[in-house]
Structures are given as structure tokens and as C-alpha cells.
Amino acid sequence: MSRVFSGIQPTGQPHIGNYFGAMRNYVTLGEQYGKSSIYCVVDLHALTNPAAFDPRLLAQRTYEMALANFAVGLDPSKVVFFAQSHVPEHQELSWIFTNLTPVGELERMTQYKDKAGQLESVPAGLLMYPVLMAADILLYKADTVPVGEDQTQHIELTREIARRFNHTFGDTFPEPRAVYNKDALRIPGVDGHGKMSKSKGENSTLGLLEPLDSIWQKLRAAPTDPARVRRTDPGNPDVCLIFDYHKLFSDLPTIEMVNVECRRAGIGCVDCKKKLMEGVTAALSPIQERAAELAQRPDDIRDALAQGAKEARAIAAPVMAEVREKVGFLKL
């Protein structure tokens, strides 16, 4: 049976990009694959981003990311869900893979080059990020990895690392395949500058658990079609991020109405945003209410993470025992 693995970073509050790009998919795959679905809050990966990582907040954000996933419908009793740092086999396997991976291959990673170019001092962990990601996946011998298209290069490297280990030490790991959520858009940031990302700060994101009044203030100020200067000017929804958000939150009649009325100036940008806010409220209110209920029982969240770590280690331990033997470590 296939085994699914995916990880999500706790470097800021969960936002709608996380929700549509990953978290909803976790719920769907969890119903399909059950305990063969393994999901991880990758707190070790969070350390590679000095701009977003705050040691005072890491534990809190890890907890909040777990709470948010449970609030959107992920049932920790049906899947394996845990924090990466609670399963030390991730680091151990990553070190073995590090010694099988040429530096040149890592330096060619597009994400590394993009992020390193923004830093005055580049942490070594940023370079090694995809090796740890490979360890995350292969530690569970996962063959199915739901990711965004920006992770394609990392999955290809994971496949190469699996091949290199198998060639050197004998057949051990499957070569995983990436599975893309075709329903998820490359969700733009609410500031209109590129993809929505926690690393860009909260002004770029619409938080999944953010107060609705705060979300409305961001939407009200969000840019629209730059060519539409006056209310009477016809607009082009194809270049408007508000219309992208309508595709996520609004029903089909509303989407079609906005598409037609914007083009003939039958609806203004403010009214368009108000219609969007109706869909946002309908979608996020139940999630936020569930999150508020879960927040009243913090021990339940921690217990679920502890149980998930126990289940993850039960899978990881025999894999690492196999790896240690094949690599040649001395047994006691």
C-alpha cells in the first residue's frame, strides 16, 4: 500500500495558502490512506530561515500549526501527525544522506539560490534543507508526496538520493513521486507581490485563524486591476488578485457574476471585495470556531502530538536499524 508523507513549516501563523495548498489535501488523503498518511510540523526546517525563525515563538507556532490542522478537519486518530524534532531519526538519516550528496547538486537548487541571494550570511542549514527533506520522506519509505510545484526540484533530488543510497548499500528506499493539488492556485500575497508566504510577514498573508475584521481591513486595502482607476472603468479580473481569491472562496454563480460585471463596470472594486468577504466568512468561521474550542483543551493537542511521535518512531526505528546495518555501524 502507498504511504504518504508531507511536512508544513511553523514559521508563522497558518494562512490560506497553507490551507488550500496543503491542509485540505491532508484531510482528503487522510481519509483515503488512514495511518499510511504521515504528516509532520517541520520545526527543524524552520531553523533554516533566520528571517522567520524566532526561538521565543517556535514551540508556540508548532502547537498552533497542529491546532490549525485539527481545526480544518484532520483527525489525529486516523493519521500519523507529529512534530519533526520529536523523532530524532530524522536528523540521523539526514546526516547519512548529507555524506552521499554532492555540494554542487545542492547549490543548483533554485530555492536555495533565491533565498541565499537575500542574505548577507547564509546558514549551512539552508544549503542542506533538501537533504533533511529527503530524510523526512525516505525515513518512512513514503512513495507519495503531496507538494506545491515549487518543491519539484527537491523531490527530484530525493529520488536521486534514494537511488544513490540503494546503489551504494543495497535496495532500501522507494523513489517517491510528487502529487500536486491541481485545485490549488499559486495563491498571491494580499499585498500583490508574489506568492503568499509566511516568510514575507503577516502583511502578505490572510491568516486562517486571523480575526475576520483584520482580514477585511487587508482585503479592503488590497490592490486590484491597476488599469481600473475609476468606478466607471471596465476591469480585467484575470489580472486582479481579488478575483483569484473569489475562485477559492466564492460559489460558482458569484464567480461568474464578478467575472462579467467587473468587465463591464457593473460592479465596483469595493463591492467586489464585500462579496468576497461573504465567502471568506462562510469558509473560515467554522474553522475558527473549532480552533477556539480546541484551544480550550491544549493538553489534547500535546497528547495528540505525543501519540503521533510514538507512531512515527514505530515506523522510523526499524528503517533506521536497517540503514545502520547496511551502512556498517557497529552493533552493541
Side-chain angles (χ1 to χ4, degrees):
M1 182 176 180
S2 292
R3 181 173 284 162
V4 176
F5 178 89
S6 187
I8 188 167
Q9 281 206 45
T11 47
Q13 68 167 309
H15 56 67
I16 64 168
N18 301 135
Y19 174 60
F20 288 104
M23 296 165 72
R24 284 201 315 177
N25 208 23
Y26 290 175
V27 176
T28 300
L29 291 171
E31 294 294 334
Q32 181 179 352
Y33 290 95
K35 288 293 183 180
S36 291
S37 297
I38 302 172
Y39 303 123
C40 179
V41 182
V42 288
D43 49 355
L44 295 174
H45 282 291
L47 302 179
T48 67
N49 188 341
F53 163 57
D54 185 336
R56 298 167 300 175
L57 296 176
L58 183 57
Q60 176 186 334
R61 286 174 171 169
T62 300
Y63 165 87
E64 289 173 350
M65 186 58 75
L67 183 150
N69 272 277
F70 300 158
V72 304
L74 190 69
D75 186 342
S77 70
K78 293 182 178 180
V79 302
V80 178
F81 189 94
F82 63 101
Q84 184 185 26
S85 62
H86 295 165
V87 181
E89 287 86 352
H90 285 259
Q91 298 98 300
E92 183 179 1
L93 185 58
S94 178
W95 177 246
I96 293 171
F97 287 167
T98 292
N99 290 283
L100 291 172
T101 308
V103 171
E105 291 187 10
L106 298 173
E107 290 177 332
R108 284 193 291 271
M109 295 291 108
T110 301
Q111 281 202 15
Y112 167 73
K113 290 189 287 187
D114 290 346
K115 292 179 179 180
Q118 301 171 25
L119 301 174
E120 182 176 342
S121 177
V122 181
L126 185 61
L127 181 67
M128 305 312 302
Y129 180 106
V131 180
L132 178 57
M133 181 175 171
D136 296 337
I137 296 165
L138 297 177
L139 180 60
Y140 303 99
K141 297 192 175 183
D143 54 12
T144 303
V145 187
V147 292
E149 291 187 5
D150 59 344
Q151 294 293 321
T152 298
Q153 200 177 25
H154 289 170
I155 299 302
E156 287 304 315
L157 180 65
T158 298
R159 292 169 59 85
E160 176 58 33
I161 290 173
R163 285 193 292 269
R164 190 170 289 131
F165 187 96
N166 293 344
H167 176 75
T168 305
F169 299 110
D171 191 40
T172 308
F173 297 111
E175 294 183 24
R177 63 187 179 92
V179 176
Y180 305 108
N181 182 3
K182 293 182 174 58
D183 294 330
L185 299 171
R186 183 177 172 85
I187 300 172
V190 72
D191 58 0
H193 300 297
K195 179 183 176 184
M196 186 174 291
S197 171
K198 294 188 289 288
S199 64
K200 294 181 179 179
E202 293 186 1
N203 288 334
S204 167
T205 65
L206 296 178
L208 191 63
L209 305 181
E210 185 174 353
L212 295 176
D213 286 346
S214 175
I215 290 177
W216 168 242
Q217 293 304 319
K218 291 180 180 180
L219 290 178
R220 189 171 66 174
T224 55
D225 177 3
R228 192 176 190 192
V229 179
R230 293 176 294 274
R231 166 67 175 78
T232 54
D233 293 336
N236 180 5
D238 296 332
V239 298
C240 179
L241 70 86
I242 297 300
F243 189 60
D244 285 339
Y245 292 165
H246 270 292
K247 295 174 186 176
L248 297 171
F249 289 105
S250 299
D251 56 26
L252 186 57
T254 299
I255 294 171
E256 291 176 344
M257 181 276 292
V258 169
N259 188 38
V260 171
E261 295 300 320
C262 177
R263 294 181 191 278
R264 67 182 188 90
I267 185 174
C269 293
V270 173
D271 289 333
C272 180
K273 291 175 178 180
K274 288 180 178 179
K275 291 298 294 184
L276 170 62
M277 194 62 204
E278 292 176 9
V280 171
T281 301
L284 298 191
S285 290
I287 295 172
Q288 295 188 0
E289 290 169 5
R290 174 62 174 157
E293 293 172 4
L294 289 169
Q296 299 302 312
R297 306 190 304 275
D299 287 345
D300 288 356
I301 305 297
R302 293 185 173 87
D303 288 347
L305 287 171
Q307 178 61 27
K310 180 179 178 180
E311 294 170 350
R313 295 200 71 181
I315 301 170
V319 174
M320 278 311 307
E322 179 185 3
V323 168
R324 292 187 200 108
E325 181 176 357
K326 288 182 174 179
V327 170
F329 291 139
L330 177 64
K331 290 182 65 174
L332 298 178

